[in-house]
Amino acid sequence: MSRGAATTLADMPSLTLAMAQINPCVGDIDGNVRLIVDACERAAGEGADLVILPEMVITGYPIEDLALRESFQRAAEAAVHRVAAELGERGLGGLTALVGTLGTDADGRPTNDAAVIRQGVVETTYSKHHLPNYGVFDERRIFASGHDTCVVEVKGTRVGVVICEDIWAEGGPVTQMAGRDIQVLAVLNGSPFEEGKGHVRVELAQRRAAEVRAPLVYVNMWGGQDDLVFDGHSFIVGADGRMLARAPGFEDSLLTWTVPADHDTPEPGHVEPMASDDAQVYRACVTGLADYVAKNGFRSVVLGVSGGIDSALTAAIAADAVGGENVVGISMPSSFSSQHSKDDAADLCKRIDADYRVEPIAPMVDAFQQQLALEGVAEENLQARVRGVILMAISNREGHLVIAPGNKSELATGYATIYDAGSIGGFAPLKDLDKSRVWDLARWRNAHAAANGETEPIPVSSIEKAPSAELRPGQTDQDSLPPYELLDEVLDAYVEHAEGREELLARGFDETVVDKVLQLVDRAEWKRRQYPLGPKVTALAFGRDRRLPVTSRWRENAR
Amino acid sequence: MSRGAATTLADMPSLTLAMAQINPCVGDIDGNVRLIVDACERAAGEGADLVILPEMVITGYPIEDLALRESFQRAAEAAVHRVAAELGERGLGGLTALVGTLGTDADGRPTNDAAVIRQGVVETTYSKHHLPNYGVFDERRIFASGHDTCVVEVKGTRVGVVICEDIWAEGGPVTQMAGRDIQVLAVLNGSPFEEGKGHVRVELAQRRAAEVRAPLVYVNMWGGQDDLVFDGHSFIVGADGRMLARAPGFEDSLLTWTVPADHDTPEPGHVEPMASDDAQVYRACVTGLADYVAKNGFRSVVLGVSGGIDSALTAAIAADAVGGENVVGISMPSSFSSQHSKDDAADLCKRIDADYRVEPIAPMVDAFQQQLALEGVAEENLQARVRGVILMAISNREGHLVIAPGNKSELATGYATIYDAGSIGGFAPLKDLDKSRVWDLARWRNAHAAANGETEPIPVSSIEKAPSAELRPGQTDQDSLPPYELLDEVLDAYVEHAEGREELLARGFDETVVDKVLQLVDRAEWKRRQYPLGPKVTALAFGRDRRLPVTSRWRENAR
């Protein structure tokens, strides 16, 4: 391409665009500005004329009620102008940047905006029309809708601009753009990961690209933010549905691609293959934990290691997230702990290179028991909570973040002691993984290590033995719960797909099992409210994705 | 009034209406149907032609994502027809009942409805237009808006029907009704209590009554539902703004009133005087706790009693909520506990007739310390958490609900040990009361007792002494925090009024204090997420009323 040559429509200069897939931090406006300006500079260095950044990248996403604060609105407004000024100062005024940010409308109400930046100024802004207010999203709480469409001309190419939900809703700005002869549709996204969502996004984008008869450029952020993980996986599809470019998941990426001159057939760029579902879910859990640790100023984590599968997988995820040398594994055996459990815990920590320590709980449990003489469940829970106190004490003394190894099946059924070592702390990496998935991912992680000639992090016996809380002699989880394979199927239908009792029975599940599971789930809501945050990886996670009253006499199984 | 006599327009029979202020339970559809039918029967017995019940009274309110379940929708639909049929069977077909319920629109989406019931059938339904989606409300998440207005003729009188937020929003169904010559506007409400809201409701109702030129009948539910308390205080205002009737707060009420024949001047009915703000807030805390206990199937509560003001007020509230004989107060002295604290705790329990027990923590703390040798804050927190374990153990053994005495100032600043006896359990009655308000209410409660010739529940020395966690020798709260009077003023501006640092400094607060308080508040978000539910009594409570990310580098005080 000869820059600066006179051009006609037939021999228009082609436009090179860059997808800047970065990891902003909520509230770190100065840091986000640096990430954005650096990405723009690199994009220009790679010959880009247009760089597209994710939704709300100036402020991080989602910012929840921070959107309503005037001080925060002012800071975002100043920051987007600072990006424009800095690009101008660095001689990048010729570059066009589409940057997601927080704006305000004529009435001063907050809006979810894309700023069009070039020549050192914010040339115009577009406000998102469709505001998701379901699942994990509360955007009608905090944002006003935009009403205008946005088409910018970059190097003679007409680029339509929309934001995330705008392409998920029928009608609206995409439909309005269909008649406006755009050559590229740029979509800025903050789209959280869930298993299987990659396909849904691509199919949707193919439909919209066909609708506007132009390639669709889908730029997503990546990184962890509380209970959400953004997976990146930015991509471009042609009007004919062809995959033209794809960035990797869960990492920084700057991928350039050249828009074909009018009506030419587009040339594919780099198309990163998609990892398996197991690999993606595992990476999501690692990313969620790594960013919770880093963005909240921690450097290390501590957890109880029991020799069981939950703490083993959690420790492996932690080692991948922060490095094994920053993981502290505390074995807290009781008189009911088996030798194989203690051996497995030690083996785990050795495999992942964690700091392994043993703190037997008998002296503390005895002290409580001399005074309280507890029996049955109260006695079992006491042991579990003494472990919680030990972990919190070590955290207070040494500054590690306590992480909770509880899984989704436990959380669903309330089969865990509240305030025990499985449910306290700042973050619960397995919170949205049911027990069956915990086993799957443990096997996947070991296989992945083996395939790379590395040490398998998880002791095989932790995967293979029958799960037990070891709070009384000979106890196994199946004394109290249906077999996990069956339990997880019922939970999937009841929790993730919100089916009622009638639908569950119609699917052929045993009535006794259904009634038991539904009762357990309905009664455990209060425990879930006090659970640490953990990464959403399924279509429906506990937390803000599923909002139910604690006080409720509604019982599916009473109908 | 001679019933059955021939009437002309000039001598129209006047209409008697009843405001049925009841306390439904979320999900207890059968129980709510019974309450509704009983209220209708009593209303008919008192000569009512029209009975008006609160918003969503069939299902309880708010039902959150239960609204999205088809099984729940079907149950609500069946229940409203059951109410109609039962009224018919009891010979009450001539009565018109306006009953709040869950409906669905033509596309099957859930709606927030008023059903008009008479002659044994559901004659018509009205769907709420304006769906609140701010503060504690998420109605755009779960409901579709209605678009039609509803005017029903009862005994020749034209009655307009709207629901709650419909009168808070400008325009909409009330404005549409202004030209339709209605003689009464019936408003079904589920309006949560907050201090000072009573005046706001009445002023708003006066404005709307003038707009439609007819009396406005405001019927509100009462009772506790998780973090909300509905206060009742149903009322009627005339088109001229006069208060024509008012029900008491926080209790069942069936208040009848006769609508004047066309253009006659209305006669006032019973107008209950409003209690003081302190009395209302105290009653709200009692109601929130009482209903959390009862509706979740508990009969008794347990809490740690330290001799301090927070646990003393919490215990007094508990005694008023469930009866002193159902309150278990556990004194858990350490080596740092003063004699006066132990004496005050014992005195408190005696005054409220609670089950008082002493569980010294030294043996357990020593057992932990021999193994962990903690110092400083870690050692302080250990003592606090050992108390938490003791309370949970007693709860597990005896079935009492653990209640947490933490207050809003503590929760705001994170000045509390997570998982200690102040922050564990199912419900925290003082959660939305700052420390200054805790003292106010303690004084109010004692004065109220004295005025009624009853024993003052709270020991005077618990009110008067300097607050201390007593976790090290000579400790007071003011070693770590600004004086509460000042702290609470800053918190009120920053948390409740969401002012930024600039605004706080402009108000004249000291910069060092402001920066310290803002930093404490911003960093404590993770602890707040794991806190028990507690009743909202201010304009902005922690919890779903104030949604902020845990992971956030936004620092007001860094600007």
Side-chain angles (χ1 to χ4, degrees), chain A residues 65 71 135 140-141 226 372 381 396-397 425 530 550-551 556, chain B residues 71 135 140-141 226 372 381 396-397 425 530 547 550-551 556:
Chain A
D65 289 357
S71 52
R140 294 171 84 170
R141 173 184 177 86
D226 286 353
L372 299 170
N381 285 342
N396 283 163
R397 185 173 64 193
Q530 297 184 35
V550 170
T551 302
E556 287 282 345
Chain B
S71 52
R140 293 171 84 170
R141 173 184 178 87
D226 286 354
L372 299 170
N381 285 341
N396 284 163
R397 185 173 64 194
Q530 296 184 35
R547 303 182 192 174
V550 171
T551 302
E556 287 282 344

PDB file of all heavy atoms in Angstrom, chain A residues 65 71 135 140-141 226 372 381 396-397 425 530 550-551 556, chain B residues 71 135 140-141 226 372 381 396-397 425 530 547 550-551 556:
ATOM      1  N   ASP A  65     -22.528   0.794  41.167  1.00  0.00           N
ATOM      2  CA  ASP A  65     -23.013   2.125  41.546  1.00  0.00           C
ATOM      3  C   ASP A  65     -21.940   3.217  41.515  1.00  0.00           C
ATOM      4  O   ASP A  65     -22.263   4.400  41.729  1.00  0.00           O
ATOM      5  CB  ASP A  65     -23.668   2.084  42.941  1.00  0.00           C
ATOM      6  CG  ASP A  65     -25.013   1.353  42.932  1.00  0.00           C
ATOM      7  OD1 ASP A  65     -25.468   0.935  41.855  1.00  0.00           O
ATOM      8  OD2 ASP A  65     -25.612   1.214  44.014  1.00  0.00           O
ATOM      9  N   SER A  71     -18.122  12.347  41.341  1.00  0.00           N
ATOM     10  CA  SER A  71     -16.659  12.410  41.360  1.00  0.00           C
ATOM     11  C   SER A  71     -16.072  11.383  40.387  1.00  0.00           C
ATOM     12  O   SER A  71     -15.084  11.655  39.698  1.00  0.00           O
ATOM     13  CB  SER A  71     -16.133  12.162  42.783  1.00  0.00           C
ATOM     14  OG  SER A  71     -16.683  10.961  43.315  1.00  0.00           O
ATOM     15  N   GLY A 135     -29.651 -11.528  34.536  1.00  0.00           N
ATOM     16  CA  GLY A 135     -28.451 -12.284  34.894  1.00  0.00           C
ATOM     17  C   GLY A 135     -27.571 -11.483  35.840  1.00  0.00           C
ATOM     18  O   GLY A 135     -28.030 -11.020  36.884  1.00  0.00           O
ATOM     19  N   ARG A 140     -29.780  -1.061  33.667  1.00  0.00           N
ATOM     20  CA  ARG A 140     -30.860  -0.070  33.678  1.00  0.00           C
ATOM     21  C   ARG A 140     -30.923   0.633  35.033  1.00  0.00           C
ATOM     22  O   ARG A 140     -31.581   1.665  35.182  1.00  0.00           O
ATOM     23  CB  ARG A 140     -32.191  -0.718  33.306  1.00  0.00           C
ATOM     24  CG  ARG A 140     -32.146  -1.186  31.855  1.00  0.00           C
ATOM     25  CD  ARG A 140     -33.326  -2.020  31.459  1.00  0.00           C
ATOM     26  NE  ARG A 140     -34.447  -1.188  31.068  1.00  0.00           N
ATOM     27  CZ  ARG A 140     -35.545  -1.673  30.490  1.00  0.00           C
ATOM     28  NH1 ARG A 140     -35.654  -2.965  30.237  1.00  0.00           N
ATOM     29  NH2 ARG A 140     -36.524  -0.875  30.160  1.00  0.00           N
ATOM     30  N   ARG A 141     -30.256   0.053  36.017  1.00  0.00           N
ATOM     31  CA  ARG A 141     -30.133   0.722  37.315  1.00  0.00           C
ATOM     32  C   ARG A 141     -29.228   1.949  37.216  1.00  0.00           C
ATOM     33  O   ARG A 141     -29.461   2.950  37.884  1.00  0.00           O
ATOM     34  CB  ARG A 141     -29.523  -0.277  38.304  1.00  0.00           C
ATOM     35  CG  ARG A 141     -29.165   0.274  39.679  1.00  0.00           C
ATOM     36  CD  ARG A 141     -28.489  -0.823  40.505  1.00  0.00           C
ATOM     37  NE  ARG A 141     -28.047  -0.350  41.804  1.00  0.00           N
ATOM     38  CZ  ARG A 141     -28.817  -0.306  42.896  1.00  0.00           C
ATOM     39  NH1 ARG A 141     -30.068  -0.694  42.829  1.00  0.00           N
ATOM     40  NH2 ARG A 141     -28.337   0.132  44.044  1.00  0.00           N
ATOM     41  N   ASP A 226     -14.106  -9.453  40.428  1.00  0.00           N
ATOM     42  CA  ASP A 226     -14.994 -10.051  41.428  1.00  0.00           C
ATOM     43  C   ASP A 226     -15.496 -11.413  40.942  1.00  0.00           C
ATOM     44  O   ASP A 226     -14.695 -12.319  40.779  1.00  0.00           O
ATOM     45  CB  ASP A 226     -16.142  -9.102  41.795  1.00  0.00           C
ATOM     46  CG  ASP A 226     -15.664  -7.945  42.677  1.00  0.00           C
ATOM     47  OD1 ASP A 226     -14.493  -7.976  43.104  1.00  0.00           O
ATOM     48  OD2 ASP A 226     -16.442  -7.033  42.945  1.00  0.00           O
ATOM     49  N   LEU A 372     -17.903 -27.272  76.221  1.00  0.00           N
ATOM     50  CA  LEU A 372     -19.219 -27.303  75.574  1.00  0.00           C
ATOM     51  C   LEU A 372     -19.813 -28.707  75.400  1.00  0.00           C
ATOM     52  O   LEU A 372     -21.017 -28.844  75.212  1.00  0.00           O
ATOM     53  CB  LEU A 372     -19.145 -26.628  74.198  1.00  0.00           C
ATOM     54  CG  LEU A 372     -18.731 -25.144  74.216  1.00  0.00           C
ATOM     55  CD1 LEU A 372     -18.457 -24.662  72.797  1.00  0.00           C
ATOM     56  CD2 LEU A 372     -19.801 -24.270  74.874  1.00  0.00           C
ATOM     57  N   ASN A 381     -19.256 -29.748  63.127  1.00  0.00           N
ATOM     58  CA  ASN A 381     -19.072 -28.360  62.715  1.00  0.00           C
ATOM     59  C   ASN A 381     -17.982 -27.667  63.509  1.00  0.00           C
ATOM     60  O   ASN A 381     -17.259 -26.816  62.978  1.00  0.00           O
ATOM     61  CB  ASN A 381     -20.388 -27.584  62.875  1.00  0.00           C
ATOM     62  CG  ASN A 381     -21.390 -27.926  61.797  1.00  0.00           C
ATOM     63  OD1 ASN A 381     -21.034 -28.464  60.748  1.00  0.00           O
ATOM     64  ND2 ASN A 381     -22.650 -27.618  62.042  1.00  0.00           N
ATOM     65  N   ASN A 396      -4.105 -13.294  59.042  1.00  0.00           N
ATOM     66  CA  ASN A 396      -3.895 -12.047  59.776  1.00  0.00           C
ATOM     67  C   ASN A 396      -2.415 -11.845  60.118  1.00  0.00           C
ATOM     68  O   ASN A 396      -1.900 -10.737  60.096  1.00  0.00           O
ATOM     69  CB  ASN A 396      -4.688 -12.042  61.088  1.00  0.00           C
ATOM     70  CG  ASN A 396      -6.185 -11.767  60.903  1.00  0.00           C
ATOM     71  OD1 ASN A 396      -6.972 -12.026  61.781  1.00  0.00           O
ATOM     72  ND2 ASN A 396      -6.577 -11.243  59.751  1.00  0.00           N
ATOM     73  N   ARG A 397      -1.738 -12.956  60.455  1.00  0.00           N
ATOM     74  CA  ARG A 397      -0.338 -12.855  60.857  1.00  0.00           C
ATOM     75  C   ARG A 397       0.571 -12.574  59.668  1.00  0.00           C
ATOM     76  O   ARG A 397       1.538 -11.839  59.776  1.00  0.00           O
ATOM     77  CB  ARG A 397       0.074 -14.165  61.539  1.00  0.00           C
ATOM     78  CG  ARG A 397       1.484 -14.143  62.108  1.00  0.00           C
ATOM     79  CD  ARG A 397       1.757 -15.396  62.906  1.00  0.00           C
ATOM     80  NE  ARG A 397       1.721 -16.587  62.080  1.00  0.00           N
ATOM     81  CZ  ARG A 397       1.678 -17.838  62.572  1.00  0.00           C
ATOM     82  NH1 ARG A 397       1.640 -18.033  63.882  1.00  0.00           N
ATOM     83  NH2 ARG A 397       1.665 -18.873  61.764  1.00  0.00           N
ATOM     84  N   GLY A 425     -13.060 -16.629  53.752  1.00  0.00           N
ATOM     85  CA  GLY A 425     -11.995 -15.989  52.997  1.00  0.00           C
ATOM     86  C   GLY A 425     -12.517 -15.051  51.943  1.00  0.00           C
ATOM     87  O   GLY A 425     -13.697 -14.677  51.945  1.00  0.00           O
ATOM     88  N   GLN A 530     -23.595 -15.431  52.387  1.00  0.00           N
ATOM     89  CA  GLN A 530     -22.391 -15.044  53.129  1.00  0.00           C
ATOM     90  C   GLN A 530     -21.135 -15.678  52.550  1.00  0.00           C
ATOM     91  O   GLN A 530     -20.071 -15.628  53.164  1.00  0.00           O
ATOM     92  CB  GLN A 530     -22.556 -15.392  54.614  1.00  0.00           C
ATOM     93  CG  GLN A 530     -23.695 -14.611  55.261  1.00  0.00           C
ATOM     94  CD  GLN A 530     -23.829 -14.841  56.756  1.00  0.00           C
ATOM     95  OE1 GLN A 530     -22.846 -15.011  57.461  1.00  0.00           O
ATOM     96  NE2 GLN A 530     -25.046 -14.846  57.249  1.00  0.00           N
ATOM     97  N   VAL A 550     -33.956 -14.967  50.995  1.00  0.00           N
ATOM     98  CA  VAL A 550     -33.601 -15.943  52.036  1.00  0.00           C
ATOM     99  C   VAL A 550     -34.893 -16.394  52.722  1.00  0.00           C
ATOM    100  O   VAL A 550     -35.160 -17.585  52.854  1.00  0.00           O
ATOM    101  CB  VAL A 550     -32.631 -15.313  53.062  1.00  0.00           C
ATOM    102  CG1 VAL A 550     -32.449 -16.233  54.257  1.00  0.00           C
ATOM    103  CG2 VAL A 550     -31.295 -14.995  52.409  1.00  0.00           C
ATOM    104  N   THR A 551     -35.672 -15.415  53.161  1.00  0.00           N
ATOM    105  CA  THR A 551     -36.947 -15.711  53.812  1.00  0.00           C
ATOM    106  C   THR A 551     -37.958 -16.039  52.736  1.00  0.00           C
ATOM    107  O   THR A 551     -38.404 -15.163  51.998  1.00  0.00           O
ATOM    108  CB  THR A 551     -37.424 -14.483  54.609  1.00  0.00           C
ATOM    109  OG1 THR A 551     -36.420 -14.147  55.570  1.00  0.00           O
ATOM    110  CG2 THR A 551     -38.748 -14.766  55.303  1.00  0.00           C
ATOM    111  N   GLU A 556     -40.764 -25.819  46.148  1.00  0.00           N
ATOM    112  CA  GLU A 556     -41.144 -26.539  44.930  1.00  0.00           C
ATOM    113  C   GLU A 556     -41.709 -27.910  45.294  1.00  0.00           C
ATOM    114  O   GLU A 556     -42.662 -28.380  44.696  1.00  0.00           O
ATOM    115  CB  GLU A 556     -39.923 -26.741  44.028  1.00  0.00           C
ATOM    116  CG  GLU A 556     -39.444 -25.500  43.332  1.00  0.00           C
ATOM    117  CD  GLU A 556     -40.287 -25.110  42.125  1.00  0.00           C
ATOM    118  OE1 GLU A 556     -41.074 -25.928  41.636  1.00  0.00           O
ATOM    119  OE2 GLU A 556     -40.153 -23.956  41.682  1.00  0.00           O
TER     120      GLU A 556
ATOM    121  N   SER B  71     -43.358 -22.375  37.607  1.00  0.00           N
ATOM    122  CA  SER B  71     -44.100 -23.075  38.656  1.00  0.00           C
ATOM    123  C   SER B  71     -44.664 -22.077  39.660  1.00  0.00           C
ATOM    124  O   SER B  71     -45.788 -22.224  40.150  1.00  0.00           O
ATOM    125  CB  SER B  71     -43.193 -24.096  39.363  1.00  0.00           C
ATOM    126  OG  SER B  71     -41.991 -23.472  39.792  1.00  0.00           O
ATOM    127  N   GLY B 135     -32.069   1.725  44.009  1.00  0.00           N
ATOM    128  CA  GLY B 135     -32.079   1.427  45.442  1.00  0.00           C
ATOM    129  C   GLY B 135     -32.161  -0.075  45.677  1.00  0.00           C
ATOM    130  O   GLY B 135     -31.367  -0.833  45.133  1.00  0.00           O
ATOM    131  N   ARG B 140     -37.275  -4.013  36.911  1.00  0.00           N
ATOM    132  CA  ARG B 140     -37.156  -4.150  35.459  1.00  0.00           C
ATOM    133  C   ARG B 140     -36.434  -5.442  35.093  1.00  0.00           C
ATOM    134  O   ARG B 140     -36.438  -5.867  33.958  1.00  0.00           O
ATOM    135  CB  ARG B 140     -36.478  -2.919  34.862  1.00  0.00           C
ATOM    136  CG  ARG B 140     -37.379  -1.697  35.025  1.00  0.00           C
ATOM    137  CD  ARG B 140     -36.717  -0.403  34.671  1.00  0.00           C
ATOM    138  NE  ARG B 140     -36.796  -0.163  33.242  1.00  0.00           N
ATOM    139  CZ  ARG B 140     -36.463   0.979  32.666  1.00  0.00           C
ATOM    140  NH1 ARG B 140     -36.025   1.990  33.402  1.00  0.00           N
ATOM    141  NH2 ARG B 140     -36.549   1.134  31.366  1.00  0.00           N
ATOM    142  N   ARG B 141     -35.775  -6.033  36.088  1.00  0.00           N
ATOM    143  CA  ARG B 141     -35.169  -7.353  35.889  1.00  0.00           C
ATOM    144  C   ARG B 141     -36.241  -8.438  35.741  1.00  0.00           C
ATOM    145  O   ARG B 141     -36.061  -9.375  34.975  1.00  0.00           O
ATOM    146  CB  ARG B 141     -34.292  -7.662  37.106  1.00  0.00           C
ATOM    147  CG  ARG B 141     -33.703  -9.065  37.181  1.00  0.00           C
ATOM    148  CD  ARG B 141     -32.945  -9.226  38.508  1.00  0.00           C
ATOM    149  NE  ARG B 141     -32.403 -10.571  38.668  1.00  0.00           N
ATOM    150  CZ  ARG B 141     -31.233 -10.968  38.208  1.00  0.00           C
ATOM    151  NH1 ARG B 141     -30.464 -10.137  37.530  1.00  0.00           N
ATOM    152  NH2 ARG B 141     -30.801 -12.203  38.398  1.00  0.00           N
ATOM    153  N   ASP B 226     -36.427 -10.278  54.841  1.00  0.00           N
ATOM    154  CA  ASP B 226     -34.977 -10.172  54.692  1.00  0.00           C
ATOM    155  C   ASP B 226     -34.489  -8.797  55.166  1.00  0.00           C
ATOM    156  O   ASP B 226     -34.597  -8.499  56.334  1.00  0.00           O
ATOM    157  CB  ASP B 226     -34.551 -10.484  53.255  1.00  0.00           C
ATOM    158  CG  ASP B 226     -34.637 -11.979  52.948  1.00  0.00           C
ATOM    159  OD1 ASP B 226     -34.918 -12.761  53.888  1.00  0.00           O
ATOM    160  OD2 ASP B 226     -34.421 -12.372  51.796  1.00  0.00           O
ATOM    161  N   LEU B 372      -0.044 -21.391  67.806  1.00  0.00           N
ATOM    162  CA  LEU B 372       0.147 -20.363  66.775  1.00  0.00           C
ATOM    163  C   LEU B 372       0.931 -19.137  67.247  1.00  0.00           C
ATOM    164  O   LEU B 372       1.467 -18.398  66.424  1.00  0.00           O
ATOM    165  CB  LEU B 372      -1.216 -19.902  66.232  1.00  0.00           C
ATOM    166  CG  LEU B 372      -2.079 -20.995  65.558  1.00  0.00           C
ATOM    167  CD1 LEU B 372      -3.481 -20.464  65.305  1.00  0.00           C
ATOM    168  CD2 LEU B 372      -1.452 -21.480  64.249  1.00  0.00           C
ATOM    169  N   ASN B 381      -7.998 -10.650  66.965  1.00  0.00           N
ATOM    170  CA  ASN B 381      -9.013 -11.294  66.136  1.00  0.00           C
ATOM    171  C   ASN B 381      -9.287 -12.731  66.582  1.00  0.00           C
ATOM    172  O   ASN B 381     -10.414 -13.213  66.499  1.00  0.00           O
ATOM    173  CB  ASN B 381      -8.580 -11.301  64.666  1.00  0.00           C
ATOM    174  CG  ASN B 381      -8.717  -9.928  64.024  1.00  0.00           C
ATOM    175  OD1 ASN B 381      -9.431  -9.061  64.521  1.00  0.00           O
ATOM    176  ND2 ASN B 381      -8.030  -9.731  62.914  1.00  0.00           N
ATOM    177  N   ASN B 396     -25.933 -24.628  66.875  1.00  0.00           N
ATOM    178  CA  ASN B 396     -26.042 -25.981  66.303  1.00  0.00           C
ATOM    179  C   ASN B 396     -26.625 -26.964  67.309  1.00  0.00           C
ATOM    180  O   ASN B 396     -27.396 -27.847  66.974  1.00  0.00           O
ATOM    181  CB  ASN B 396     -24.674 -26.494  65.849  1.00  0.00           C
ATOM    182  CG  ASN B 396     -24.193 -25.876  64.551  1.00  0.00           C
ATOM    183  OD1 ASN B 396     -23.024 -25.931  64.226  1.00  0.00           O
ATOM    184  ND2 ASN B 396     -25.083 -25.258  63.785  1.00  0.00           N
ATOM    185  N   ARG B 397     -26.227 -26.811  68.574  1.00  0.00           N
ATOM    186  CA  ARG B 397     -26.673 -27.750  69.591  1.00  0.00           C
ATOM    187  C   ARG B 397     -28.132 -27.536  69.957  1.00  0.00           C
ATOM    188  O   ARG B 397     -28.876 -28.489  70.188  1.00  0.00           O
ATOM    189  CB  ARG B 397     -25.804 -27.585  70.845  1.00  0.00           C
ATOM    190  CG  ARG B 397     -26.095 -28.584  71.932  1.00  0.00           C
ATOM    191  CD  ARG B 397     -25.090 -28.478  73.074  1.00  0.00           C
ATOM    192  NE  ARG B 397     -25.172 -27.188  73.740  1.00  0.00           N
ATOM    193  CZ  ARG B 397     -24.243 -26.737  74.588  1.00  0.00           C
ATOM    194  NH1 ARG B 397     -23.147 -27.457  74.844  1.00  0.00           N
ATOM    195  NH2 ARG B 397     -24.379 -25.571  75.157  1.00  0.00           N
ATOM    196  N   GLY B 425     -23.896 -15.152  61.839  1.00  0.00           N
ATOM    197  CA  GLY B 425     -25.270 -15.504  62.124  1.00  0.00           C
ATOM    198  C   GLY B 425     -26.195 -15.149  60.994  1.00  0.00           C
ATOM    199  O   GLY B 425     -25.772 -14.885  59.874  1.00  0.00           O
ATOM    200  N   GLN B 530     -20.114 -10.345  53.106  1.00  0.00           N
ATOM    201  CA  GLN B 530     -20.339 -11.598  53.824  1.00  0.00           C
ATOM    202  C   GLN B 530     -21.131 -11.379  55.114  1.00  0.00           C
ATOM    203  O   GLN B 530     -21.227 -12.278  55.935  1.00  0.00           O
ATOM    204  CB  GLN B 530     -18.995 -12.289  54.092  1.00  0.00           C
ATOM    205  CG  GLN B 530     -18.297 -12.697  52.806  1.00  0.00           C
ATOM    206  CD  GLN B 530     -17.008 -13.476  53.029  1.00  0.00           C
ATOM    207  OE1 GLN B 530     -16.891 -14.257  53.953  1.00  0.00           O
ATOM    208  NE2 GLN B 530     -16.033 -13.263  52.166  1.00  0.00           N
ATOM    209  N   ARG B 547     -24.563  -0.918  45.705  1.00  0.00           N
ATOM    210  CA  ARG B 547     -23.867  -2.007  45.032  1.00  0.00           C
ATOM    211  C   ARG B 547     -22.552  -1.509  44.478  1.00  0.00           C
ATOM    212  O   ARG B 547     -22.510  -0.770  43.512  1.00  0.00           O
ATOM    213  CB  ARG B 547     -24.756  -2.546  43.912  1.00  0.00           C
ATOM    214  CG  ARG B 547     -26.103  -3.006  44.445  1.00  0.00           C
ATOM    215  CD  ARG B 547     -27.000  -3.593  43.391  1.00  0.00           C
ATOM    216  NE  ARG B 547     -28.344  -3.727  43.937  1.00  0.00           N
ATOM    217  CZ  ARG B 547     -29.398  -4.094  43.234  1.00  0.00           C
ATOM    218  NH1 ARG B 547     -29.275  -4.375  41.945  1.00  0.00           N
ATOM    219  NH2 ARG B 547     -30.594  -4.181  43.803  1.00  0.00           N
ATOM    220  N   VAL B 550     -16.146  -5.134  44.920  1.00  0.00           N
ATOM    221  CA  VAL B 550     -15.121  -5.384  45.943  1.00  0.00           C
ATOM    222  C   VAL B 550     -13.766  -4.996  45.362  1.00  0.00           C
ATOM    223  O   VAL B 550     -13.003  -4.243  45.964  1.00  0.00           O
ATOM    224  CB  VAL B 550     -15.116  -6.872  46.359  1.00  0.00           C
ATOM    225  CG1 VAL B 550     -13.920  -7.177  47.246  1.00  0.00           C
ATOM    226  CG2 VAL B 550     -16.412  -7.231  47.062  1.00  0.00           C
ATOM    227  N   THR B 551     -13.473  -5.541  44.190  1.00  0.00           N
ATOM    228  CA  THR B 551     -12.220  -5.229  43.515  1.00  0.00           C
ATOM    229  C   THR B 551     -12.368  -3.870  42.860  1.00  0.00           C
ATOM    230  O   THR B 551     -13.070  -3.713  41.863  1.00  0.00           O
ATOM    231  CB  THR B 551     -11.927  -6.288  42.437  1.00  0.00           C
ATOM    232  OG1 THR B 551     -11.863  -7.574  43.059  1.00  0.00           O
ATOM    233  CG2 THR B 551     -10.622  -5.994  41.734  1.00  0.00           C
ATOM    234  N   GLU B 556     -11.547   7.653  46.474  1.00  0.00           N
ATOM    235  CA  GLU B 556     -11.935   9.065  46.518  1.00  0.00           C
ATOM    236  C   GLU B 556     -10.779   9.914  47.052  1.00  0.00           C
ATOM    237  O   GLU B 556     -10.542  11.010  46.591  1.00  0.00           O
ATOM    238  CB  GLU B 556     -13.137   9.237  47.457  1.00  0.00           C
ATOM    239  CG  GLU B 556     -14.447   8.737  46.927  1.00  0.00           C
ATOM    240  CD  GLU B 556     -15.101   9.667  45.914  1.00  0.00           C
ATOM    241  OE1 GLU B 556     -14.714  10.842  45.816  1.00  0.00           O
ATOM    242  OE2 GLU B 556     -15.996   9.186  45.203  1.00  0.00           O
TER     243      GLU B 556
END
